[in-house]
Amino acid sequence: MALNLSPTNYYELTNSYTGSSFPLAVISSSSDLELRVASKDDSSLSWQFLPAQDTTKYNICTNYEGTSYCLDVLGNDKTIPHLATPAFVTGQQWTAVPSEGNTYKFSNDYSGSGYYLDIYSDTKKTIMSTGGHSGQYWTLNSEGEQPTPTSSTTMITVTKTTATSSSTTATTVEAESIPTATGASGGTSSTSSSGSGGITKDGKLGMEVGLGVGIPAICVAILAWWFPCKSR
């Protein structure tokens, strides 16, 4: 269900297993930008919740080292959460389930219902797991709102594109903008154009000029032929 959260508010995410001193962070050595909970340091992340296309769900997004990302799971392993470029994919469509003590459980459409954001008890890395483990219960610790976006503020756009033919791709039909203080836009959109058939405006003008000059010349030629014939 939707939490009715402001998309300009930042939140730190902690879970009931490790407590409030261990927020959700990125594993800087991971090529896939996998996640863990860790003591607060430079790898700790602040998160924004943006209503997804299905307004009962959220894109959960953050900024890491100047680039904007959204919470996702690996395509070849739906149990491993990681940071990914914002995109219209099921792994970035998250449902928040209210739970005990003002906590929430988070599931995504790709992993499927029954799989919730959790952590391993030893490595503290994140995993999508079943059951009712304490690591699945997350607290949203508000860090305050971001100022109104300005010209120096980058906007992430999550887009949905639809192919209309083998050679044409429609432009964005659904878009969601995530304000971030810094970082390049990770959203993509496909645009296409096709030439129009028929006569162009300049071609039409050329035809009109040609007809304007050609018709009188033809008339003169006909008259030149007709008068000698008439006198015979």
Side-chain angles (χ1 to χ4, degrees), residues 72 205 216 223:
D72 199 346
L205 178 61
L223 290 174

Side-chain angles (χ1 to χ4, degrees), residues 46-231:
S46 297
W47 301 88
Q48 290 175 286
F49 286 72
L50 183 80
Q53 184 197 26
D54 179 343
T55 55
T56 65
K57 300 174 183 179
Y58 280 95
N59 296 122
I60 305 175
C61 302
T62 189
N63 187 283
Y64 176 64
E65 293 188 340
T67 302
S68 299
Y69 297 97
C70 288
L71 183 61
D72 199 346
V73 291
L74 294 179
N76 60 357
D77 191 337
K78 66 180 182 180
T79 67
I80 301 180
H82 75 128
L83 298 181
T85 299
F88 190 87
V89 292
T90 54
Q92 294 184 19
Q93 307 286 302
W94 291 85
T95 299
V97 181
S99 301
E100 57 193 41
N102 294 320
T103 62
Y104 297 88
K105 299 174 72 173
F106 295 105
S107 65
N108 68 80
D109 288 357
Y110 184 68
S111 300
S113 60
Y115 284 85
Y116 298 98
L117 184 65
D118 193 0
I119 61 169
Y120 285 106
S121 60
D122 49 0
T123 63
K124 306 301 187 293
K125 288 178 61 175
T126 55
I127 182 175
M128 300 300 296
S129 72
T130 58
H133 311 293
S134 57
Q136 294 177 350
Y137 296 88
W138 295 86
T139 299
L140 280 61
N141 305 298
S142 178
E143 296 183 321
E145 296 220 348
Q146 175 185 295
T148 302
T150 64
S151 58
S152 62
T153 300
T154 301
M155 301 296 287
I156 304 173
T157 301
V158 181
T159 62
K160 177 183 179 182
T161 56
T162 304
T164 56
S165 70
S166 59
S167 60
T168 304
T169 303
T171 54
T172 299
V173 295
E174 289 293 340
E176 301 150 3
S177 294
I178 307 166
T180 65
T182 58
S185 173
T188 59
S189 61
S190 298
T191 58
S192 65
S193 60
S194 56
S196 58
I199 302 172
T200 64
K201 181 179 179 180
D202 291 340
K204 182 179 179 181
L205 178 61
M207 179 178 286
E208 290 172 346
V209 172
L211 290 175
V213 174
I215 291 177
I218 294 172
C219 291
V220 171
I222 292 174
L223 290 174
W225 172 82
W226 182 73
F227 277 110
C229 292
K230 184 179 179 182
S231 61

